Amino acid sequence: QVQLVESGGGLVQAGGSLRLSCAASGRSARTSVLGWLRQAPGKERMFVAAITWIGSTTWYADSEKGRFTISRDHAKNTVWLQMNDLKPEDTAVYYCAALLRGVASDPGSYTYWGQGTQVTVSS
């Protein structure tokens, strides 16, 4: 089991920044990848970014490259998503998820999910 708790969402104006946090507990050391995914109203859940728990390999969705940065801290069992230059189309519920095996960019590969945190970007 892996428990994931997100925080840091909120309302921000376009061009602003937010940093999301994901506190991981349980068998987090054994997970291969921790990722951030998002779901906008009426749309499917989409991959945003992911990072290996061991090592520091990262993946990003093309639309987030250069704006978002994923990082993690073993000692704090925390993964962060720094989001800069936010756009109204970034508005969504952002989820932290853990992947044991599969493809990091595939939402269906993730086994454990947090409850999500709302990010709203106003124009």
Side-chain angles (χ1 to χ4, degrees), residues 58-73:
T58 58
W59 298 267
Y60 294 94
D62 288 342
S63 59
E64 277 68 63
K65 286 180 180 177
R67 298 192 302 127
F68 292 4
T69 303
I70 189 170
S71 60
R72 56 100 181 96
D73 186 319

Side-chain angles (χ1 to χ4, degrees), residues 60-108:
Y60 294 94
D62 288 342
S63 59
E64 277 68 63
K65 286 180 180 177
R67 298 192 302 127
F68 292 4
T69 303
I70 189 170
S71 60
R72 56 100 181 96
D73 186 319
H74 282 165
K76 297 181 179 180
N77 279 350
T78 300
V79 175
W80 292 280
L81 183 68
Q82 177 67 43
M83 305 186 294
N84 298 326
D85 190 24
L86 283 162
K87 304 173 182 180
E89 51 264 42
D90 294 318
T91 295
V93 176
Y94 284 70
Y95 296 92
C96 178
L99 178 152
L100 301 181
R101 60 181 62 86
V103 178
S105 60
D106 175 17

